[in-house]
Amino acid sequence: MVFNKFTHLARPSLSKTFVHGYAQSVVAATQSTGPFPPLGKHQSHKSGRPSTSQLHTPFSTASNAAAATGKASYPSTGSTQHSDGGLVAYYDAWQKLEQHGGELTEWRQFQFPKLIEARAPPKVQGGKGTEQDITSRAKEPVDHGSLDRAYSTSAIDEIKNAQDVEEAAAVAKVDEAIATVIDDIKQRSVAQDATPSITTPTRQQMTQVTTEPSASPTTESLDARAEASTPSTPLTDATAATSIEDLDSHAFSQHLSKLQDALAYKEIPPAFESMLARGVKPTAQAYNALLASAIHLPMGKHQVIPKVLDIYSDMLRRKVSPDSAFCSTLIQTLSRRALDVADMKEDMENRRKRFNGINETGSFLFASNEAEYGILAEDDALSNAMTLFGTATSTLKTCPFPTETYNLLILACARHHRVDDMVEIYHHLESQHVKPVATIFPAMIVAFAKDGDLSSAVECYNEYRILAIADDSGKFAILGRNDSDVYAALIRAYALCGKADGGKRFYSRVIDSFATDTEERRQQLEQIKDTVQVEAFVQDRLDFRDFAAALAIAEGNQMTPHAREQAFSKICSAAADNADIELANKAYEHLPWDSMARPAASLAIFALHVREKQLEAASEHWAELTSRTIPDASLVEPTVSFAIGLIRNSQVDKASVLLRETFARIRNSEPAACSSADVADQMDESIEVIAKLLVESRTPTSAISSLNFLWAMVENGGLISSIAEQMLASLAPEDIASLGWQDMIFALQVEAGLIGSETVLRDASHISRFAHLLDLAINPSVALDEKTLGLVETAMNQLSERTDLVDKWQKYKQSLLQPTHHSFTPLPGPPVRPSTTLVANYDPYAATTDYRGSAIIIEELENHRNSLGLSEALIRFRNIRRGGRHPRYIAYARLITAASKEGRINLTHDILGMARRDMPFLPAYPVIQQGWSSILDAMVGACLIAGRRSLAEQFHQELLDMGSTLTANTYGLYITTLKESTKTFDEATEAVKIFHRAITEGVLPSSFLYNALIGKLGKARRIDDCLRYFQEMRASGIHPTSVTYGTIVNALCRVSEERFAEELFDEMESMPNYKPRPAPYNSLMQYFLMTKRDSKKVLAYYDRMQVMKIQPTMHTYKLLIDTHATLEPVNLAAAEGVLDTIRASGLRPEAVHYASLIHAKGCALHDMAGARQVFDEVLASGEVKPQACLYQALFESMVANHCVAATEEVLDSMSANRVEMTPYIANTLIHGWALEHQIAKSKAIYDSVGMEKREPSTYESMTRAFLTAQDRKGALAIVHEMLSRGYPSAVSSKVLELLGHGMSRAGNVILSELIA
């Protein structure tokens, strides 16, 4: 491809320098930095005008260079670069004369330029002996490869300086001498070709010649230069020196390639340097290795591109043709840079919108951001990549680039809206028969749409469709299928082109195409729906700033939780960035607390509140941001923005604390990243912005604020003198007196440093302040540290005229050298440490604690254990804080617990954030540690109750880092919430692990912890472990409660230990501290109902409940209905009368009670019509909502009465009423269809229950169905899946027995049968 000849950089230097980024046109590589050697020092440029490679970018061809200069190429048989630069002036003059048709009237002498480090020429005296000296030197043995025009040029130069009168004659003599030398070299070259063993130079000689100062290092061989100088006598190609050079070049290239393969990138630049030092010409293979090292060696993000372009420029100057591998790597690097630039520009646009400058809206907060944005706007990485792509495709004969190269280049072109280039690259990809990557198609479709070309977007989709169909048929046609993103891109393209209805029709056709009811197709359809809703429909409305419509789409469509969170986060951020606070808050309310998308939305709303000067609302989001996310460099701008808002609201002290603490957290969380100059400079610039605002707004600063700003600068790496002067200027004598010892010494250090550096030497106020600080600091009883002594000593050297200060300082130093005998008087401050007892009982926040208000809050929460009590307590809590005080630690913990029980998880985090602001954790005080232990313990419990187990682990770890641990009851919550929070189905084993972890951390077990553990063990039928921990509980002196007895009785009933269960039940009732509870009675009633089928026993325990005046629960009433309706003697009237009993007690019957009646009529009495009548009446009355238990009872009745075919109609009704399929309904239907010998429908019901929802009974039902159909292989597959779920052996053994395997060999037998 031929490029525009005016696109090169035709000037020797750049007028503009950059702090970040790189020069936008490629120049010589002589100024390279970093781990690479400066490549330019190994190049030889002839004297005179710069060579073409010096004047042009590496993207210019030789023809372009010649055309740009406006002159013909220099005549030579070899390369044009071998002409003598010393005779260029003569050649130009002759050429002009020929062009204008003039005649030479007089001789004109042109100056011959010198080369750096040229060899000293022979001395000429009086113009004599010049020819003889040069001729004699020419007759000396000359090494092949050592001749350089610099020798002749320097000689001519000296002759001109010595004899101005005989210039013409001297030049002629020198030319004759040069010709003689060249002829001599030619003769020697011929002789060397004939007898190579005599004249072949050694490697040491070659190295010496190459590195000799007088020789201009070059990668060209001497034969080539001699041939270029004397075209009339061509030399033989196969010389010994050339052969050795080729061998060396090959050896170096192999070595560099091995280093690249071994990923030893640090060793590649020195090896490449060594190759150049030996005078060996690099190969394309060597440059490939050097390019790889430039990309992979660690350096600044702005340094990679200029480095790789320097390498490419050097490669072209040495006339080494890049191969396809080099071009591909360079194009990929430039394309990635182009994509990064697009991302950075978009991010900076968002930051400019959110965090305005201090003086004007729409400007960047930091001046460095403004400069960086300008550099990014001028970035031409993509232009360079396209230029290189065109050069490579037109130069290389076979140029099939890797797929990744096409992928990155097309994505970059699409991102930068270069549609024509994008199409050209794709056509080349097709012509080379390269398989495309699916990710390019969504980008291309959107790029066409933004260009208004809907037909091309549709054509692009059709291209993808053809490839996808081929891929489905088994032909390898595309990499990485991405159907959902392609569908979303095309639908968005319709909307961008003003044809949204067409996109909706297309979406409907896509949905209809997924009619096949298989699990895989359902999952694929679900993914497509999520992507289209978020990336097409919602994004389309956001593009047009119709946030209300976007919110309606997100609320009205069924999406997976992750997709909904992404949609609401996008809507919230976009609305907040466009100042629509009401809609942003609506979207924000839909985001769960532990959502990964919540912090981004919270940041956008926080920035909006700051811009609107709503600092109280901003504080709430700030507390969430700092507690939820790990602080990093991205938090610098929000911090400064918030600090600016606080300062404008006259809260300078709070702003200074905020700035210092946040910067410290950023440094602690990312020490490696913050050690870089970029982050440190950004923090320094932040302080400069704050200082500028303080000056412009004339806001007074207190001593604490000034010291905080100074500390922030020092902690960041150093002081900024101008800001340090500004902050110290606000320190009056009374302010200094209020400082603590450490802050006062720090102020003295800063002031002494400024005076010692002569920054404020003539400022009388600084000298007076220094004198005052020195008077307070120099005390014979307290010795200053070495750093302070050194700074003060330096300052004193500058204040020699202040004899009073100098004398006082000298006396203080002498007092340090002499032993003192006076009594020691302790000073207030850090040097005096309080006793251990005082520290243990001291609370630095006691002065601001409202103890009476805390007692009222706790009383409200205890007396009203509902939302009303919480609301009253919160009102009292906010009133206390408005008065500038705060409650006790335990009050915060109780509020968090109460909020979690009401399901208000967001409120718990708000309370925690306020606690962090009111009483920051200080590890030096045990009282604070104990108080914060109770707060974090409550937070762990709140997260567990809300099902946020991962967040609970984070707070748990924070508690451990404080040196504390959880309470036993919170560990009990870990156990009781296992089922809702983990995929591990062996809950009993997990419960035991949690119990032992608590013991390991030194927790004293409580009855609640033991109850939770025994309950999980009982559900797993591990009765021996239940009894062991029950006895351990008693032995530890922990009295079992009614809950404990109820738990152990329930466990015994599960394993049919009725005798032992009744004994423990009687023991429970006889205990003096017995608190009657219905759970133990329900357990025994259920046992005698379901297992023993003894109605008398059931009713007997119900009567005992009545005697103990225990209010029956809804479960108790259900057991009564089942007893009357299913156990002999059947009394259906009594069963229906239980419903009247429920209503008489002031309650309303629930769905489970009606389900018991339906089951009794359908299954026990086989009255299918009566069962269906009850079902229909319940749904028609609207007294209870349609629930799964009602449908389950009806399905069981239908299966029991052989009405399985009619279940399909009921199943459709269940879906219409949005009642989800449960494992127990599935069990019934699987069994029913198996009885009808329709195993396919049984399997369809089984598949409709997701794997995560399947219970052991589900696996048992499906296994029985397969065995009924004589399909043992299918049964084995079901059992294999069950074993992979990790159920306890007591649970899985029942299913394994169906296959006739014992537990000891079940796993191996099943696996072997599956393999067979």
Side-chain angles (χ1 to χ4, degrees):
M1 175 176 280
V2 180
F3 300 107
N4 190 338
K5 64 183 180 181
F6 298 106
T7 59
H8 60 275
L9 181 65
R11 57 178 181 270
S13 63
L14 294 174
S15 59
K16 182 178 180 180
T17 58
F18 299 109
V19 177
H20 302 292
Y22 59 90
Q24 304 306 311
S25 295
V26 184
V27 294
T30 56
Q31 302 298 327
S32 60
T33 58
F36 297 93
L39 302 177
K41 73 179 183 180
H42 294 291
Q43 304 176 63
S44 175
H45 300 307
K46 304 240 189 303
S47 301
R49 75 175 70 187
S51 63
T52 306
S53 62
Q54 291 174 281
L55 291 176
H56 296 74
T57 71
F59 299 109
S60 300
T61 60
S63 60
N64 292 349
T69 57
K71 296 178 176 60
S73 302
Y74 301 144
S76 66
T77 10
S79 171
T80 58
Q81 299 297 327
H82 292 266
S83 59
D84 195 323
L87 301 178
V88 169
Y90 288 102
Y91 177 79
D92 285 348
W94 173 82
Q95 190 179 44
K96 290 179 181 179
L97 188 65
E98 290 293 319
Q99 289 176 353
H100 294 85
E103 295 183 357
L104 183 62
T105 56
E106 61 179 355
W107 171 259
R108 181 179 177 186
Q109 174 67 44
F110 292 93
Q111 177 66 38
F112 284 79
K114 292 183 179 180
L115 284 182
I116 298 176
E117 298 183 357
R119 181 182 300 172
K123 296 182 180 180
V124 181
Q125 298 178 357
K128 298 179 180 180
T130 303
E131 181 177 352
Q132 290 78 2
D133 291 340
I134 297 176
T135 305
S136 62
R137 181 176 297 274
K139 292 180 179 179
E140 295 176 0
V142 180
D143 242 351
H144 191 47
S146 62
L147 183 64
D148 198 304
R149 284 299 185 103
Y151 173 80
S152 303
T153 305
S154 300
I156 296 294
D157 226 7
E158 294 297 330
I159 292 172
K160 181 180 181 299
N161 294 332
Q163 282 188 322
D164 294 335
V165 180
E166 302 181 18
E167 287 177 344
V171 171
K173 293 178 180 180
V174 169
D175 288 341
E176 183 181 354
I178 292 173
T180 304
V181 172
I182 292 175
D183 291 338
D184 182 67
I185 291 176
K186 291 177 182 177
Q187 295 173 2
R188 292 179 179 271
S189 298
V190 174
Q192 287 174 347
D193 293 340
T195 57
S197 60
I198 299 176
T199 58
T200 299
T202 63
R203 185 182 302 271
Q204 181 179 3
Q205 290 171 334
M206 291 179 64
T207 305
Q208 182 178 359
V209 170
T210 307
T211 57
E212 190 167 347
S214 62
S216 182
T218 178
T219 59
E220 304 163 347
S221 65
L222 179 60
D223 300 276
R225 280 191 286 168
E227 181 180 352
S229 302
T230 58
S232 58
T233 311
L235 299 179
T236 307
D237 293 332
T239 62
T242 304
S243 301
I244 293 179
E245 183 176 348
D246 291 340
L247 291 174
D248 286 349
S249 179
H250 179 73
F252 272 110
S253 298
Q254 292 295 324
H255 176 61
L256 291 171
S257 297
K258 289 180 180 179
L259 292 176
Q260 179 184 356
D261 294 339
L263 305 181
Y265 297 115
K266 289 185 178 181
E267 301 178 21
I268 293 177
F272 195 88
E273 173 84 0
S274 175
M275 177 175 63
L276 296 180
R278 289 175 175 269
V280 177
K281 182 178 180 178
T283 63
Q285 188 179 8
Y287 275 107
N288 286 338
L290 186 62
L291 182 66
S293 68
I295 295 172
H296 292 93
L297 283 179
M299 61 178 68
K301 62 181 180 180
H302 298 290
Q303 298 177 7
V304 175
I305 297 300
K307 183 59 60 181
V308 299
L309 291 181
D310 284 348
I311 294 172
Y312 180 56
S313 177
D314 182 79
M315 188 179 190
L316 295 186
R317 280 197 301 275
R318 298 179 188 278
K319 297 196 298 182
V320 178
S321 298
D323 56 10
S324 59
F326 184 93
C327 294
S328 177
T329 305
L330 186 54
I331 291 173
Q332 289 183 26
T333 305
L334 293 171
S335 301
R336 288 192 180 96
R337 170 64 182 177
L339 290 171
D340 291 342
V341 166
D343 290 337
M344 288 188 289
K345 288 177 66 176
E346 182 178 352
D347 177 64
M348 295 186 74
E349 285 287 356
N350 290 334
R351 284 189 284 163
R352 176 163 59 180
K353 186 183 296 184
R354 290 179 180 176
F355 312 112
N356 296 321
I358 61 175
N359 294 326
E360 56 181 323
T361 304
S363 62
F364 285 103
L365 183 59
F366 298 144
S368 61
N369 288 349
E370 188 79 42
E372 185 174 3
Y373 187 81
I375 293 172
L376 293 177
E378 297 177 1
D379 186 274
D380 63 351
L382 182 56
S383 298
N384 288 341
M386 286 302 304
T387 305
L388 180 59
F389 180 81
T391 304
T393 53
S394 62
T395 303
L396 299 175
K397 295 180 180 179
T398 58
C399 187
F401 290 115
T403 304
E404 183 67 10
T405 304
Y406 292 108
N407 180 36
L408 291 172
L409 199 51
I410 289 175
L411 290 176
C413 289
R415 192 73 182 275
H416 288 265
H417 309 298
R418 297 178 62 159
V419 179
D420 293 339
D421 292 337
M422 178 183 73
V423 173
E424 176 189 349
I425 299 163
Y426 187 78
H427 286 167
H428 190 271
L429 177 147
E430 289 184 314
S431 67
Q432 298 296 324
H433 306 291
V434 177
K435 302 297 184 294
V437 182
T439 53
I440 67 174
F441 289 95
M444 293 173 66
I445 291 172
V446 174
F448 282 128
K450 289 182 177 179
D451 205 34
D453 189 357
L454 182 59
S455 60
S456 296
V458 174
E459 183 182 351
C460 185
Y461 164 76
N462 290 332
E463 177 74 15
Y464 175 82
R465 183 171 174 271
I466 293 171
L467 296 173
I469 292 174
D471 185 70
D472 287 338
S473 64
K475 181 181 178 182
F476 180 63
I478 192 170
L479 299 175
R481 289 282 293 276
N482 198 9
D483 296 354
S484 57
D485 286 341
V486 175
Y487 291 141
L490 184 60
I491 294 170
R492 188 182 175 197
Y494 274 106
L496 290 173
C497 295
K499 297 182 179 181
D501 292 338
K504 293 178 181 178
R505 288 194 298 271
F506 171 75
Y507 179 60
S508 299
R509 292 198 300 270
V510 171
I511 298 301
D512 294 340
S513 67
F514 283 84
T516 305
D517 191 16
T518 64
E519 184 66 22
E520 182 180 359
R521 296 282 286 178
R522 278 198 299 271
Q523 292 178 357
Q524 190 175 1
L525 178 60
E526 186 178 77
Q527 181 183 1
I528 291 173
K529 286 182 177 180
D530 287 348
T531 306
V532 170
Q533 294 294 339
V534 177
E535 302 298 336
F537 293 136
V538 172
Q539 186 61 48
D540 169 55
R541 292 299 87 202
L542 295 181
D543 291 339
F544 291 96
R545 298 188 178 182
D546 190 355
F547 307 120
L551 183 61
I553 292 172
E555 291 176 339
N557 289 276
Q558 291 185 352
M559 292 183 281
T560 61
H562 177 72
R564 285 175 60 85
E565 291 167 11
Q566 293 297 324
F568 286 123
S569 179
K570 275 189 171 186
I571 296 168
C572 178
S573 299
D577 290 341
N578 288 275
D580 192 342
I581 184 62
E582 182 179 356
L583 199 136
N585 284 329
K586 287 182 180 179
Y588 188 73
E589 290 173 357
H590 288 282
L591 292 171
W593 173 260
D594 59 347
S595 170
M596 298 299 293
R598 186 180 174 98
S602 182
L603 179 61
I605 296 184
F606 162 78
L608 174 59
H609 285 312
V610 172
R611 293 196 303 271
E612 298 294 330
K613 299 179 176 59
Q614 300 171 354
L615 298 182
E616 186 174 353
S619 299
E620 296 179 3
H621 288 280
W622 177 257
E624 179 179 339
L625 283 172
T626 53
S627 63
R628 282 286 318 279
T629 60
I630 299 176
D632 54 18
S634 64
L635 203 60
V636 173
E637 274 185 289
T639 304
V640 178
S641 177
F642 194 20
I644 290 173
L646 292 172
I647 291 173
R648 285 175 173 164
N649 198 36
S650 302
Q651 302 182 45
V652 184
D653 290 351
K654 189 174 181 179
S656 64
V657 173
L658 171 78
L659 199 72
R660 182 182 175 188
E661 288 182 351
T662 308
F663 285 178
R665 292 185 63 192
I666 293 173
R667 285 190 296 269
N668 293 335
S669 62
E670 287 190 344
C674 295
S675 61
S676 64
D678 290 344
V679 179
D681 291 344
Q682 197 173 20
M683 291 183 181
D684 283 341
E685 189 174 6
S686 303
I687 300 174
E688 290 178 359
V689 170
I690 297 295
K692 180 181 178 182
L693 175 65
L694 291 173
V695 172
E696 293 179 353
S697 62
R698 298 182 180 179
T699 304
T701 57
S702 65
I704 297 298
S705 300
S706 300
L707 266 296
N708 277 330
F709 287 128
L710 290 172
W711 275 116
M713 286 189 287
V714 169
E715 290 165 353
N716 194 43
L719 287 170
I720 303 173
S721 299
S722 58
I723 300 178
E725 291 182 48
Q726 176 184 340
M727 296 303 166
L728 288 175
S730 62
L731 293 181
E734 57 273 15
D735 295 326
I736 295 175
S738 66
L739 295 176
W741 176 261
Q742 185 178 9
D743 286 339
M744 186 189 67
I745 295 300
F746 175 61
L748 175 62
Q749 292 176 353
V750 175
E751 192 70 83
L754 292 175
I755 294 174
S757 62
E758 304 183 17
T759 305
V760 294
L761 185 57
R762 298 185 180 181
D763 193 328
S765 63
H766 282 278
I767 297 176
S768 300
R769 190 178 302 106
F770 172 74
H772 183 65
L773 288 167
L774 189 64
D775 287 339
L776 296 176
I778 54 176
N779 188 297
S781 302
V782 181
L784 299 177
D785 58 276
E786 293 295 332
K787 181 179 180 180
T788 307
L789 290 173
L791 290 171
V792 174
E793 185 68 29
T794 305
M796 285 299 177
N797 294 334
Q798 301 294 334
L799 298 174
S800 56
E801 69 279 2
R802 291 290 303 268
T803 55
D804 56 332
L805 293 178
V806 174
D807 292 342
K808 187 180 299 184
W809 178 245
Q810 294 298 330
K811 290 180 181 179
Y812 172 74
K813 291 197 296 182
Q814 292 177 3
S815 67
L816 296 179
L817 300 176
Q818 298 174 359
T820 57
H821 302 284
H822 55 79
S823 60
F824 175 76
T825 303
L827 293 175
V832 182
R833 295 183 176 272
S835 65
T836 306
T837 305
L838 292 176
V839 172
N841 297 326
Y842 177 66
D843 184 0
Y845 303 123
T848 56
T849 302
D850 189 339
Y851 293 93
R852 184 173 178 275
S854 302
I856 295 174
I857 289 174
I858 295 173
E859 184 180 357
E860 288 285 350
L861 296 174
E862 290 290 339
N863 295 338
H864 306 282
R865 295 177 179 269
N866 50 27
S867 58
L868 178 61
L870 178 61
S871 299
E872 294 293 334
L874 287 174
I875 292 173
R876 173 71 61 177
F877 174 66
R878 293 191 177 99
N879 289 337
I880 292 174
R881 295 187 76 251
R882 288 193 187 99
R885 301 171 70 80
H886 57 81
R888 296 171 57 198
Y889 304 96
I890 188 62
Y892 286 97
R894 294 291 182 85
L895 283 169
I896 290 172
T897 302
S900 66
K901 290 180 179 179
E902 293 295 324
R904 301 173 64 179
I905 187 64
N906 291 346
L907 178 59
T908 62
H909 289 277
D910 293 340
I911 296 171
L912 176 64
M914 288 184 275
R916 292 189 190 277
R917 292 195 300 272
D918 296 340
M919 304 172 299
F921 176 69
L922 300 175
Y925 300 96
V927 172
I928 297 179
Q929 182 181 9
Q930 182 180 359
W932 266 101
S933 297
S934 63
I935 294 175
L936 292 178
D937 183 82
M939 278 305 302
V940 173
C943 294
L944 291 172
I945 292 173
R948 312 288 195 261
R949 201 172 188 84
S950 59
L951 194 58
E953 291 287 354
Q954 295 179 16
F955 289 118
H956 188 179
Q957 185 59 46
E958 183 178 354
L959 187 61
L960 294 176
D961 294 340
M962 288 182 178
S964 301
T965 187
L966 297 176
T967 60
N969 288 350
T970 306
Y971 271 110
L973 282 176
Y974 262 116
I975 295 175
T976 57
T977 57
L978 271 174
K979 186 173 183 179
E980 292 79 16
S981 60
T982 179
K983 293 182 178 180
T984 302
F985 288 89
D986 192 356
E987 298 174 16
T989 302
E990 284 295 317
V992 172
K993 290 179 180 178
I994 294 171
F995 181 82
H996 288 305
R997 178 184 178 186
I999 300 300
T1000 303
E1001 292 183 5
V1003 176
L1004 294 177
S1006 64
S1007 59
F1008 179 72
L1009 179 57
Y1010 273 112
N1011 293 343
L1013 176 61
I1014 293 172
K1016 291 297 181 183
L1017 292 172
K1019 287 183 179 180
R1021 295 178 174 83
R1022 292 169 56 174
I1023 191 61
D1024 292 337
D1025 290 331
C1026 288
L1027 296 175
R1028 181 167 67 86
Y1029 284 108
F1030 182 67
Q1031 295 299 329
E1032 179 183 307
M1033 179 180 179
R1034 285 176 161 179
S1036 301
I1038 301 174
H1039 298 290
T1041 64
S1042 57
V1043 178
T1044 312
Y1045 281 106
T1047 304
I1048 198 70
V1049 166
N1050 185 40
L1052 290 168
C1053 289
R1054 284 175 180 269
V1055 294
S1056 300
E1057 291 284 351
E1058 58 179 292
R1059 185 184 60 81
F1060 197 8
E1062 289 187 291
E1063 288 179 2
L1064 286 178
F1065 188 87
D1066 295 337
E1067 178 183 330
M1068 175 190 69
E1069 284 190 327
S1070 63
M1071 289 183 62
N1073 62 340
Y1074 171 63
K1075 183 182 294 185
R1077 292 181 66 255
Y1081 297 89
N1082 289 342
S1083 296
L1084 284 172
M1085 288 174 65
Q1086 182 170 334
Y1087 170 71
F1088 285 108
L1089 168 66
M1090 305 300 294
T1091 305
K1092 292 298 183 179
R1093 310 292 293 173
D1094 188 346
S1095 61
K1096 293 182 179 180
K1097 280 282 191 180
V1098 176
L1099 296 176
Y1101 278 104
Y1102 176 71
D1103 293 338
R1104 291 174 72 168
M1105 283 184 70
Q1106 301 286 26
V1107 171
M1108 299 296 296
K1109 296 182 179 181
I1110 299 174
Q1111 176 65 35
T1113 64
M1114 288 298 183
H1115 184 57
T1116 309
Y1117 289 125
K1118 178 187 181 302
L1119 296 175
L1120 283 176
I1121 294 174
D1122 290 337
T1123 301
H1124 290 304
T1126 61
L1127 299 184
E1128 296 292 339
V1130 175
N1131 188 351
L1132 194 59
E1136 293 177 345
V1138 175
L1139 299 179
D1140 297 331
T1141 304
I1142 296 174
R1143 295 187 184 98
S1145 62
L1147 302 174
R1148 300 177 64 179
E1150 296 180 351
V1152 292
H1153 304 123
Y1154 293 108
S1156 295
L1157 281 178
I1158 295 171
H1159 183 273
K1161 289 188 176 184
C1163 296
L1165 302 178
H1166 294 283
D1167 182 8
M1168 187 62 221
R1172 185 60 185 262
Q1173 182 182 357
V1174 174
F1175 177 82
D1176 293 337
E1177 288 176 355
V1178 170
L1179 292 185
S1181 66
E1183 187 176 357
V1184 295
K1185 293 181 179 179
Q1187 295 184 24
C1189 61
L1190 291 172
Y1191 284 96
Q1192 180 181 342
L1194 183 60
F1195 285 135
E1196 289 172 351
S1197 300
M1198 298 173 79
V1199 171
N1201 290 277
H1202 307 288
C1203 301
V1204 182
T1207 58
E1208 293 183 332
E1209 178 188 353
V1210 181
L1211 196 60
D1212 294 337
S1213 170
M1214 186 176 77
S1215 300
N1217 288 324
R1218 297 184 178 181
V1219 177
E1220 293 185 359
M1221 173 70 73
T1222 67
Y1224 307 106
I1225 294 177
N1227 296 346
T1228 302
L1229 294 176
I1230 290 170
H1231 174 64
W1233 287 116
L1235 294 177
E1236 297 293 326
H1237 303 290
Q1238 296 192 34
I1239 192 64
K1241 291 190 176 182
S1242 294
K1243 186 63 166 62
I1245 295 294
Y1246 174 82
D1247 292 336
S1248 66
V1249 182
M1251 181 177 177
E1252 68 280 358
K1253 294 182 180 180
R1254 292 170 188 161
E1255 295 283 345
S1257 59
T1258 312
Y1259 293 110
E1260 180 182 353
S1261 299
M1262 196 64 232
T1263 303
R1264 289 181 183 274
F1266 274 123
L1267 292 177
T1268 302
Q1270 303 298 320
D1271 186 356
R1272 184 174 180 82
K1273 184 176 181 181
L1276 286 170
I1278 298 298
V1279 174
H1280 180 61
E1281 179 185 321
M1282 181 194 68
L1283 293 177
S1284 68
R1285 299 289 298 276
Y1287 289 112
S1289 57
V1291 175
S1292 59
S1293 61
K1294 185 177 181 181
V1295 183
L1296 292 173
E1297 289 173 357
L1298 297 176
L1299 297 173
H1301 298 306
M1303 279 304 299
S1304 61
R1305 53 189 290 270
N1308 294 333
V1309 171
I1310 289 173
L1311 289 177
S1312 62
E1313 291 193 29
L1314 284 173
I1315 294 172

